[in-house]
Amino acid sequence: MFSYRHAFHAGNHADVLKHTVLIATLEHLLEKDTALTVVDTHAGAGLYRLDGDYAGTSGEAADGVLRLVGGGAKPAPPKGAKAAPDAPLADALARYLEVVGDFNPKGGAKIYPGSPFIVHHLLREHDKLKLFELHPTDARTLDANIAQLEAGRQITVLRDDGFGSATKFLPPPSRRALVLCDPSYEIKSDYARVLDFVGEALKRFATGTYAVWYPIIPRPEAHDLPRRLKTMATKAGKSWLHATLTVKSSKITTDATGATHRPGLPASGMFLINPPYTLKPLLAAALPQMAERLAQDRNATFSLDSGG
């Protein structure tokens, strides 16, 4: 259960989607003066080098954030793409790149901020950040990375299971919170644990904003998760938003030698309960550009739905 390392996947297309949504959501919530608590159930190492051994091994950032900053391969055109390649970036996508750029003052994207560092970068002094990470190596790295921020009591790092422990911070004293839940889903039971966690969190704090990232892969649990989250939100009388980004086909192919090639992660989604009302129009403009610029074959597409 401890084999997954986000360092191999930092800056990929899933991170582009997740962090674009995270930034747009967080900045809206920060418009109110009242303190905000952000809880990250699976924080990872917090900060990554895209020119290091881990990210270099997978090369996934080349088809993710590096394309957007001009350092990746030329994208393949997706089905139905309408935006011109040189069209100005949508506000949410431009803001995402601006935040990444803040960690790379000399340009490019050698340093990639994970969710903990993105959140801390945007928080005000009176806001709080609670980070959970169970992977022993990543937890040590996260501790060391966070220590460099000298953030004092603003950030709490816990080497604990976010699924089982994060709800203890709900509701926060200020009654305002954003909870990000993005496990690896390497273990099939993670899908059920996400549902249990969100259900318990809503019972404790019905007005919090909950953001769930998930992979879209050929597994029944992956396709059931957003449907069941939608049902949960609807029964609770809460608004919801569901965004997906597909960059390539999920089909396994066979080459001329008979060797099979698995596509890797073809798509991912973000499901939010109690999302900001500003998020849908921002994503409506940003998602077509993500699908176009991050496309790896002609199957690239996106979806955006909401209710409540």
Side-chain angles (χ1 to χ4, degrees):
M1 68 178 293
F2 289 130
S3 62
Y4 179 86
R5 303 289 303 283
H6 188 71
F8 289 101
H9 312 287
N12 68 358
H13 61 86
D15 268 359
V16 174
L17 173 64
K18 175 172 64 178
H19 292 148
T20 297
V21 172
L22 175 64
I23 292 166
T25 300
L26 182 57
E27 291 196 321
H28 176 85
L29 295 175
L30 292 175
E31 290 179 1
K32 288 188 177 181
D33 292 336
T34 308
L36 179 73
T37 294
V38 180
V39 179
D40 190 339
T41 64
H42 296 76
L47 198 64
Y48 308 93
R49 289 200 64 96
L50 297 184
D51 59 350
D53 292 340
Y54 295 122
T57 298
S58 70
E60 291 182 20
D63 285 322
V65 65
L66 294 180
R67 280 198 185 178
L68 300 177
V69 298
K74 184 178 179 181
K79 291 188 294 187
K82 295 180 180 179
D86 56 352
L89 283 179
D91 289 346
L93 199 51
R95 181 61 180 136
Y96 160 73
L97 288 181
E98 184 179 354
V99 171
V100 173
D102 289 343
F103 291 85
N104 295 274
K106 295 183 179 180
K110 289 185 178 180
I111 302 297
Y112 190 81
S115 301
F117 272 69
I118 288 175
V119 172
H120 173 262
H121 183 65
L122 300 175
L123 289 187
R124 306 154 303 184
E125 288 187 3
H126 62 296
D127 300 317
K128 301 293 184 182
L129 177 56
K130 313 295 184 182
L131 303 174
F132 288 83
E133 180 51 53
L134 196 55
H135 189 292
T137 303
D138 282 351
R140 287 193 297 271
T141 305
L142 179 64
D143 275 333
N145 286 335
I146 294 298
Q148 296 180 48
L149 295 175
E150 297 182 350
R153 298 177 64 181
Q154 184 184 34
I155 304 178
T156 303
V157 180
L158 302 102
R159 193 173 298 188
D160 205 349
D161 179 10
F163 283 135
S165 303
T167 54
K168 69 184 180 182
F169 292 111
L170 302 176
S174 66
R175 309 291 299 187
R176 301 187 68 237
L178 167 62
V179 179
L180 174 65
C181 184
D182 61 336
S184 69
Y185 298 94
E186 189 176 40
I187 310 168
K188 190 167 66 171
S189 60
D190 277 359
Y191 296 93
R193 297 195 75 193
V194 166
L195 292 165
D196 290 342
F197 171 78
V198 175
E200 176 62 23
L202 278 172
K203 289 178 183 177
R204 286 174 176 256
F205 187 43
T207 57
T209 295
Y210 300 93
V212 175
W213 175 88
Y214 71 99
I216 300 176
I217 55 177
R219 172 176 275 183
E221 294 86 357
H223 294 276
D224 287 344
L225 181 60
R227 177 182 58 79
R228 295 181 68 179
L229 285 169
K230 177 181 175 180
T231 299
M232 183 184 297
T234 302
K235 286 184 176 180
K238 301 300 177 182
S239 60
W240 56 270
L241 182 145
H242 183 210
T244 70
L245 174 66
T246 300
V247 299
K248 59 184 175 181
S249 170
S250 61
K251 293 181 179 179
I252 298 174
T253 58
T254 304
D255 63 23
T257 67
T260 58
H261 298 275
R262 297 183 179 275
L265 181 65
S268 66
M270 286 289 289
F271 194 99
L272 289 91
I273 298 177
N274 295 326
Y277 72 91
T278 53
L279 184 58
K280 188 173 183 179
L282 287 172
L283 292 182
L287 283 168
Q289 291 187 341
M290 288 188 205
E292 180 190 33
R293 299 181 184 221
L294 302 182
Q296 296 182 36
D297 64 27
R298 294 182 180 273
N299 294 282
T301 187
F302 68 94
S303 68
L304 180 62
D305 195 14
S306 63

